Amino acid sequence: MRIREITVTPVAFRDPPLLNASGVHEPWALRSVVEVVTDEGVTGLGETYGDLAHLERLHSAAQLLIGIEVHAHHALYAAVATSVGGNVVSDQHGLTGAGSQQKTVDAVFSPFEVACLDIRGKAAGLRVADLLGGPVRDAVPYSAYLFYKWAAHPGAEPDRFGEALDPDGIVAQARLFIEEHGFGSIKLKGGVLPPDREIEAVLALRDAFPGLPLRLDPNAAWTPETSVRVGKALAGVLEYLEDPTPGIDGMAEVARQVPMPLATNMCVVTHDHLPPAVAAGAIGVLLTDHHYWGGLLRSSHVASLCGTFGIELSMHSNSHLGISLAAMTHLAAATPDLTHACDTHTPWQDGQDVVVPGALRFTGGAVPVPEGPGLGVELDRDALARMHQQYLDCGIRRRDDTAYMRTFSSDFVPKRAHW
């Protein structure tokens, strides 16, 4: 089967005012939906970022993919690398580590690879998880992903999630997510308030939900010294501490002095980062993300490599829709060494999606592997058209949490090794 046609559709969906070290989420989140059609009329789906620069790279790559076999993984990757060219570093929003040429190629390639795996699964009557070696779990556990947040975007009506700017608000948010989705672990996005106040929030979560694994992710907002202090203060409380400070060297310094593993999706974001991180003992947990690790196959290879060096695994999330959730679930289901529940923003999308309801659901905090062939999800054409119109109307073409925050707080500075 050869690729006959590719359609890339940018979409926008409503996003709450979630706070982080770089600022605050804008009212609209951007994504791109990729449809790959073969000469036999089989269609596969992929999903990726929606920033304008990334969209332009997707369109350039799509032109070179026409006519290539959907099974020809290496030829597809080479065509994408050619389309990207040299000395290109994509925008990474400040929350997913430094950009690089390799990371840019992998991010452009990922949605096309997922779509081709979707096609291959449909043609063979197999799930994508089967193509990745077969599922080792029937359902993939996800974690409640908590954020400090405003009650509403300025000038808008309060959203149903409510304000969360103190420990009581964070606990209430966790309780809502656990009641609705059954999550069995909790992650707090930190780097927003001074570290001692975020310690208080974690301790409040421990007291409210005894026995549930807890994580804290300040997105490298702390110095190594502060990271060590916080790590020692939360000894026996955190499952892991994620990206407390910038860089492999800084993480290694902290890792030597704190009692819990350090996790990352910032200091190790491409294959080239693994050797120095392993040598320095910088991380104990890698949060993979197929959107910038080069798709599902390359992510599975990274997972195997991490197992060799004793690095545990979880999965990173950004604001995403159902195609991504399906791909994440298939990958996680077929990854034997996955040792921690995965991140997901899905609850924050509050039912907004481009896939037909029913194939994806949370049961006891986990998403069962979709039963249909390929990814097991179907595109909702009406929802796609509506979200594309929202993209055209919203006026946002690049995610910029910092610029949006500065419209309300002109002196705001992104927090990197700030405290």
Side-chain angles (χ1 to χ4, degrees):
M1 291 182 292
R2 296 186 180 275
I3 296 174
R4 184 187 71 198
E5 177 185 351
I6 297 176
T7 302
V8 179
T9 306
V11 298
F13 52 93
R14 294 191 179 279
D15 211 15
L18 308 180
L19 298 163
N20 57 59
S22 289
V24 62
H25 286 207
E26 295 171 278
W28 297 96
L30 307 179
R31 298 294 276 180
S32 298
V33 173
V34 172
E35 299 174 72
V36 175
V37 184
T38 72
D39 53 5
E40 297 181 12
V42 184
T43 299
L45 301 176
E47 179 189 329
T48 183
Y49 313 111
D51 296 315
L52 184 58
H54 190 65
L55 268 172
E56 292 171 347
R57 294 187 186 107
L58 293 173
H59 285 295
S60 296
Q63 297 177 35
L64 297 187
L65 296 177
I66 303 301
I68 300 179
E69 275 275 357
V70 296
H71 298 279
H73 177 90
H74 299 301
L76 293 165
Y77 189 87
V80 169
T82 297
S83 75
V84 171
N87 300 316
V88 176
V89 177
S90 61
D91 170 40
Q92 300 300 327
H93 316 305
L95 298 176
T96 57
S100 71
Q101 173 73 16
Q102 180 69 67
K103 192 176 180 183
T104 302
V105 173
D106 285 349
V108 174
F109 174 69
S110 177
F112 298 113
E113 184 245 25
V114 171
C116 286
L117 286 170
D118 190 22
I119 289 168
R120 292 165 59 185
K122 289 174 179 175
L126 297 171
R127 298 167 298 178
V128 165
D130 297 318
L131 301 179
L132 298 175
V136 295
R137 54 187 64 85
D138 296 325
V140 173
Y142 286 89
S143 182
Y145 200 167
L146 310 183
F147 282 78
Y148 291 101
K149 69 178 290 293
W150 298 332
H153 286 283
E157 291 295 317
D159 60 51
R160 78 177 187 90
F161 300 108
E163 182 179 85
L165 296 173
D166 57 22
D168 288 343
I170 291 296
V171 168
Q173 188 183 108
R175 185 166 287 113
L176 173 67
F177 278 16
I178 290 170
E179 288 175 354
E180 292 188 350
H181 303 286
F183 293 119
S185 61
I186 300 172
K187 171 175 173 173
L188 173 61
K189 176 67 78 176
V192 176
L193 303 179
D196 287 337
R197 293 176 63 184
E198 296 187 349
I199 290 173
E200 292 174 7
V202 172
L203 295 177
L205 288 169
R206 178 201 60 185
D207 294 342
F209 305 99
L212 263 62
L214 303 177
R215 315 165 185 178
L216 176 60
D217 172 20
N219 279 129
W222 306 335
T223 64
E225 293 77 14
T226 296
S227 301
V228 171
R229 181 174 68 80
V230 174
K232 290 181 176 179
L234 293 176
V237 178
L238 291 182
E239 175 186 16
Y240 59 68
L241 178 58
E242 181 180 340
D243 284 311
T245 201
I248 290 172
D249 291 342
M251 289 280 283
E253 180 182 344
V254 176
R256 289 191 291 268
Q257 301 178 68
V258 297
M260 72 284 292
L262 297 190
T264 190
N265 71 277
M266 294 183 70
C267 75
V268 179
V269 294
T270 72
H271 300 74
D272 290 344
H273 294 155
L274 279 167
V278 170
I283 62 170
V285 183
L286 178 65
L287 279 74
T288 60
D289 186 328
H290 75 272
H291 298 93
Y292 59 77
W293 276 95
L296 306 186
L297 287 171
R298 288 172 69 82
S299 293
S300 67
H301 297 162
V302 170
S304 297
L305 186 61
C306 286
T308 301
F309 292 101
I311 296 173
E312 298 178 350
L313 293 171
S314 183
M315 194 174 287
H316 169 257
S317 166
N318 213 321
S319 299
H320 64 88
L321 296 167
I323 300 170
S324 281
L325 181 62
M328 293 167 66
T329 299
H330 281 280
L331 174 61
T335 302
D337 294 329
L338 188 80
T339 39
H340 301 275
C342 302
D343 294 348
T344 180
H345 282 63
T346 294
W348 292 110
Q349 272 56 88
D350 207 19
Q352 301 173 95
D353 215 334
V354 292
V355 300
V356 175
L360 298 167
R361 66 188 187 281
F362 286 90
T363 302
V367 175
V369 180
E371 297 178 356
L375 290 175
V377 296
E378 178 185 350
L379 197 59
D380 183 331
R381 293 285 172 188
D382 291 339
L384 179 67
R386 182 170 61 253
M387 289 192 187
H388 178 58
Q389 189 60 52
Q390 289 170 178
Y391 170 83
L392 296 175
D393 294 342
C394 75
I396 298 173
R397 294 296 179 266
R398 173 181 175 271
R399 175 177 169 177
D400 194 336
D401 294 6
T402 300
Y404 184 55
M405 174 65 90
R406 285 175 176 163
T407 62
F408 314 110
S409 179
S410 60
D411 59 351
F412 174 80
V413 176
K415 306 298 190 293
R416 188 169 178 84
H418 175 80
W419 282 293

